Amino acid sequence: MKDILNGRYEIIEEVGSGGMAQVYRAKCNVLNRFVAVKVLKREFVNDQDFIDKFKQESMSAARLNHKNIVNVYDTGVDDGIYYIVMEYLEGITLHELIQKNKGLSTDTAVDICIQICEALDHAHSNGIIHRDIKPHNILIDKNNQVKVADFGIARAVSNKTMTNSDNTLGSVNYFSPEQARGGYIDEKSDIYSLGIVFFEMLTGEVPFKGDSAIAIALKHVNEQMPAPSSINKEIPDFLNEVVLKCTNKKQTLRYNSANAIIADLMKYKANKELFWAEAGNQRIDDEKIAALNRFLMETSTVNPMDKTAQNSGSKKTSRNKVDNGKIKAVVDMKKNEAMDESYDDAEDVDD
């Protein structure tokens, strides 16, 4: 690795590595600030497919400018070294935060989920699907600002159906059923993965576990999603239903947009006293109950009083079963690409 790229970016230390690239902490000697430099691994520089994918990453990520998305500053090539320059964050990943606390408080989980949704809403409105939403790719800086990182595996959809090989890059614990099947991916695939992340924030656990990536992928396809309250009894029904709506097996039955999730979570925040009282079976006067039900029926896309949600158990649904060999093929393709986290240990500093 060169000490300085294009006479501008002085490499200081490696801070992360993924399937396609290595990430370095560097200093921009022109603007006198620290940056993160993502460098395509040398074994791929002669592979035109990988180079094209890396260039697509650069162009896609550079289109996004949002407070909840890691900024891309520059791209380039120097003596066969392909690189992207991003903002450098001091903080921790959401994965580290969940592991440290064995789950998050409901208020913290809701606030983080809203910020992730803000990032996704911006990306989706620009025709970009992340496809690898997971706690490892979500950073929390020293000011508690949430930043979604690694749009390097995102693709601009531009009204085109993605190919099967393009659909295999998500981490299997957060796979949508359509990703596991190698099917068509859209914005609602990100919403499914977000629902899994939200579940993990609320409970400290992922909903599906297994001895292999293939076993976990099969569960995403075949098994009904458990409610967060099956692990954490204190979760209000309203938040159960938000998670279950995000993670419906059918794309058409999920939230239509990340912005719709924000709307429901803001309604929860405005009325959480009533939701928590209902969750704890506390006495609420009839007038408040009537107001709550009226509020839900008129403004919300989920109904927390409905305890017969289609995803409330852990039974398998035969109509969702698919050929195990196809799942294995998809997961094997995923393993060959981006199983590692490419920005897991990145940190934030001021300019």
Side-chain angles (χ1 to χ4, degrees):
M1 182 63 191
K2 298 181 68 172
D3 293 333
I4 299 180
L5 294 175
N6 281 329
R8 177 171 182 173
Y9 302 109
E10 182 180 350
I11 303 299
I12 298 173
E13 62 181 341
E14 182 176 337
V15 295
S17 181
M20 283 175 50
Q22 293 161 314
V23 182
Y24 297 90
R25 178 172 174 256
K27 185 176 181 180
C28 174
N29 290 326
V30 174
L31 297 177
N32 193 31
R33 65 181 177 184
F34 291 104
V35 294
V37 178
K38 189 173 185 179
V39 176
L40 184 65
K41 289 185 174 178
R42 285 197 174 275
E43 55 261 41
F44 300 129
V45 296
N46 295 320
D47 188 322
Q48 192 61 46
D49 288 339
F50 271 92
I51 291 176
D52 290 344
K53 186 177 295 184
F54 200 71
K55 289 179 179 178
Q56 180 65 57
E57 167 181 354
S58 307
M59 292 184 290
S60 296
R63 290 168 54 189
L64 303 176
N65 182 18
H66 191 273
K67 64 180 181 178
N68 296 121
I69 295 176
V70 174
N71 288 316
V72 173
Y73 296 141
D74 191 16
T75 64
V77 57
D78 182 2
D79 194 22
I81 299 174
Y82 293 84
Y83 65 88
I84 300 174
V85 181
M86 304 172 288
E87 69 175 306
Y88 183 68
L89 299 172
E90 181 181 10
I92 62 174
T93 66
L94 179 57
H95 172 73
E96 292 168 334
L97 185 64
I98 293 172
Q99 294 299 308
K100 178 181 178 180
N101 295 283
K102 296 181 173 58
L104 308 179
S105 70
T106 304
D107 286 351
T108 299
V110 168
D111 287 340
I112 291 174
C113 191
I114 288 172
Q115 292 188 66
I116 300 169
C117 286
E118 294 277 9
L120 288 179
D121 187 63
H122 178 75
H124 293 168
S125 68
N126 281 278
I128 297 175
I129 302 169
H130 190 289
R131 299 188 304 151
D132 196 24
I133 291 295
K134 58 186 177 183
H136 310 74
N137 286 338
I138 298 163
L139 310 173
I140 303 171
D141 71 18
K142 61 184 181 181
N143 297 315
N144 292 322
Q145 179 91 21
V146 173
K147 296 264 192 177
V148 179
D150 204 1
F151 275 87
I153 54 174
R155 289 292 179 271
V157 291
S158 301
N159 298 321
K160 293 183 180 179
T161 300
M162 295 182 180
T163 63
N164 188 53
S165 62
D166 280 335
N167 291 344
T168 59
L169 297 177
S171 180
V172 70
N173 282 319
Y174 309 90
F175 254 176
S176 65
E178 58 270 20
Q179 283 176 295
R181 290 192 300 263
Y184 175 76
I185 289 177
D186 61 12
E187 292 86 350
K188 293 185 179 183
S189 305
D190 280 349
I191 288 174
Y192 181 96
S193 299
L194 172 67
I196 302 297
V197 171
F198 195 19
F199 181 101
E200 187 176 3
M201 286 194 287
L202 292 168
T203 66
E205 302 179 15
V206 291
F208 300 123
K209 301 175 183 177
D211 294 332
S212 67
I214 296 168
I216 296 171
L218 284 168
K219 289 183 178 181
H220 279 289
V221 173
N222 295 328
E223 293 193 6
Q224 289 183 338
M225 178 76 180
S229 61
S230 66
I231 297 174
N232 182 352
K233 304 295 184 183
E234 296 183 353
I235 300 300
D237 283 347
F238 188 85
L239 294 184
N240 282 330
E241 295 300 324
V242 170
V243 170
L244 295 176
K245 186 175 179 68
C246 286
T247 56
N248 197 295
K249 302 298 183 191
K250 293 185 176 180
Q251 287 164 276
T252 56
L253 296 181
R254 296 174 201 156
Y255 280 96
N256 287 326
S257 67
N259 194 53
I261 303 172
I262 295 172
D264 272 351
L265 292 180
M266 293 303 291
K267 292 166 189 172
Y268 163 79
K269 291 182 68 173
N271 296 269
K272 65 181 179 181
E273 179 182 350
L274 294 177
F275 292 129
W276 277 98
E278 189 273 335
N281 294 316
Q282 299 175 15
R283 181 176 178 79
I284 316 175
D285 64 60
D286 292 341
E287 184 178 346
K288 286 186 176 181
I289 283 289
L292 175 60
N293 282 319
R294 194 162 54 246
F295 161 78
L296 292 172
M297 292 180 65
E298 293 175 356
T299 67
S300 184
T301 61
V302 299
N303 182 5
M305 300 303 182
D306 180 7
K307 301 183 186 298
T308 60
Q310 42 80 32
N311 278 325
S312 60
S314 59
K315 296 179 181 179
K316 294 182 179 179
T317 53
S318 58
R319 62 183 175 183
N320 284 323
K321 291 183 180 178
V322 297
D323 180 68
N324 289 15
K326 188 172 183 179
I327 296 292
K328 182 179 186 302
V330 172
V331 173
D332 285 346
M333 292 174 72
K334 153 67 186 155
K335 286 181 177 179
N336 290 332
E337 299 224 14
M339 202 65 177
D340 296 332
E341 290 74 39
S342 63
Y343 204 43
D344 196 17
D345 298 318
E347 305 175 337
D348 189 61
V349 296
D350 292 332
D351 292 348

